[in-house]
Amino acid sequence: MEVNIGKSVLSLVIGDITEESTDAIVNAANERLAGGAGVDGAIHRAGGPAIMAECRKIGGCPTGQAVITTGGNLKAKHVIHTVGPIYRGGARNEAALLRSAHVESLKLASAKGLKSVAFPAISTGVYGYPLEEAARIALTAAIDYLHEHSDIELIRFVLFDGRAYEVFSTELKGLL
Ligand code: AR6
């Protein structure tokens, strides 16, 4: 599914984000930037050791913030590592932190002059964020950003399975 937001494109696809050829792909990292399971493990495996070498130099990233490294062997030249919140019931500022993870990633892309960014469904795996709410927050952050900044030409959400794709599609239709 693809929609125009101003002069930019917001797209949803099913796939493996490590195969994306956007200028940057976003990693759902942890605060230590230590690597892990899920999409984080997949990105480090596919991108090779240059990514972890830069993560070690950077040292860490607070929840809701973002940092950028090389894409190593990936098609994407850059990886933006952001840390989504661990979901603990919803009353611990999770929504604001999840929005911030998206906005800070996009600000970093803009600051580096990048034009296209692919996101996974941050926080919805190991970190346990309910998918419907996470999709709404992620999509709202992306739409708001594209309305306010015309430099980013494409934001793509790369969903790993059909269910996540369906949930993101339904939420996106509800936001338009
Ligand atoms: N491409 C796209 N999406 C993927 C891929 C892939 N290759 N692999 C998994 N997903 P998660 P989190 C989806 O757990 O919840 C790590 O250990 C997956 O189906 O990767 O933010 C980190 O080191 C899910 O929908 O990230 C942190 O400690 C989504 O990506 C912690 O997990 C996010 O799931 C972060 O947890």
Side-chain angles (χ1 to χ4, degrees):
M1 173 176 182
E2 197 166 288
V3 298
N4 294 309
I5 310 286
K7 285 186 180 158
S8 307
V9 171
L10 176 61
S11 89
L12 309 180
V13 297
I14 300 179
D16 177 348
I17 201 166
T18 64
E19 291 171 6
E20 277 297 319
S21 54
T22 43
D23 293 338
I25 63 170
V26 178
N27 182 19
N30 53 64
E31 287 195 330
R32 292 182 302 126
L33 301 178
V39 70
D40 195 0
I43 287 172
H44 282 288
R45 271 196 305 280
I51 300 175
M52 184 51 78
E54 277 191 48
C55 283
R56 284 208 194 90
K57 271 189 206 152
I58 296 166
C61 177
T63 300
Q65 298 297 307
V67 301
I68 189 165
T69 68
T70 176
N73 303 328
L74 297 169
K75 285 181 206 156
K77 288 212 164 54
H78 307 273
V79 176
I80 294 172
H81 305 261
T82 192
V83 184
I86 299 170
Y87 191 80
R88 295 193 176 95
R92 298 191 182 209
N93 210 29
E94 290 98 328
L97 289 166
L98 186 60
R99 179 180 172 89
S100 173
H102 289 81
V103 173
E104 293 303 318
S105 296
L106 291 167
K107 281 190 193 165
L108 205 45
S110 288
K112 296 283 177 187
L114 309 184
K115 301 290 178 204
S116 56
V117 182
F119 282 91
I122 293 165
S123 283
T124 66
V126 174
Y127 282 0
Y129 213 116
L131 192 53
E132 280 79 5
E133 190 187 336
R136 193 154 57 242
I137 291 166
L139 290 164
T140 304
I143 291 168
D144 291 350
Y145 195 88
L146 291 178
H147 277 309
E148 289 160 16
H149 306 80
S150 53
D151 57 315
I152 302 284
E153 294 168 3
L154 168 68
I155 298 177
R156 175 172 291 149
F157 285 90
V158 181
L159 293 323
F160 207 40
D161 56 40
R163 179 169 172 256
Y165 180 82
E166 288 308 323
V167 169
F168 268 71
S169 303
T170 303
E171 294 297 333
L172 179 54
K173 285 172 198 151
L175 290 170
L176 296 175

